[in-house]
Amino acid sequence: MDANGLQQQYKRDAVDTMTQGELLLMLYDELIKRLTRADLALAKEEYETFEASVDRCLEIVWYLDDTLDKQYPISANLTKLYDFFCYELNRVKIGRNKTELDRVRTMIGELRDSFRTAQQNNDSGK
């Protein structure tokens, strides 16, 4: 097996051993990374990269929504929030709007931080 194959196997093994909370935070971290990439591409007027980054953000948000356990009341609120993020991300993409991009990234970052705090509280037994 070549080095690339070993790296892919390592990544699969790492993901397979993560808790649901760790996977959720990993998705949010990737979402923030892609939003930052979109921002940098927009500043450089690299519109293909910008649009690809926003499209990947939309895919992540859709995935987050699709994986919600609908039996919990908070899921309905998160679905509304994810719908809002998708609406705003589409506006960002169509209008190449940095102000809205920054606003969405801030909101998603705050949500990620809330999940991180909840995960830390859960891990410490609070």
Side-chain angles (χ1 to χ4, degrees), residues 25-68:
L25 290 174
M26 184 181 74
L27 284 168
Y28 272 98
D29 288 342
E30 183 66 20
L31 186 53
I32 296 294
K33 181 177 101 177
R34 296 296 176 137
L35 289 167
T36 301
R37 182 178 290 166
D39 186 36
L40 294 170
L42 185 59
K44 294 178 182 177
E45 297 183 1
E46 295 173 356
Y47 298 122
E48 255 184 66
T49 302
F50 166 75
E51 289 180 9
S53 297
V54 174
D55 285 341
R56 185 65 179 133
C57 291
L58 286 164
E59 291 171 3
I60 293 169
V61 173
W62 291 328
Y63 178 80
L64 288 167
D65 186 51
D66 287 345
T67 58
L68 285 173

Side-chain angles (χ1 to χ4, degrees), residues 112-126:
R112 177 197 58 187
D113 293 344
S114 296
F115 280 120
R116 180 170 284 131
T117 300
Q119 178 69 28
Q120 289 169 344
N121 289 343
N122 186 47
D123 290 347
S124 67
K126 291 184 180 176

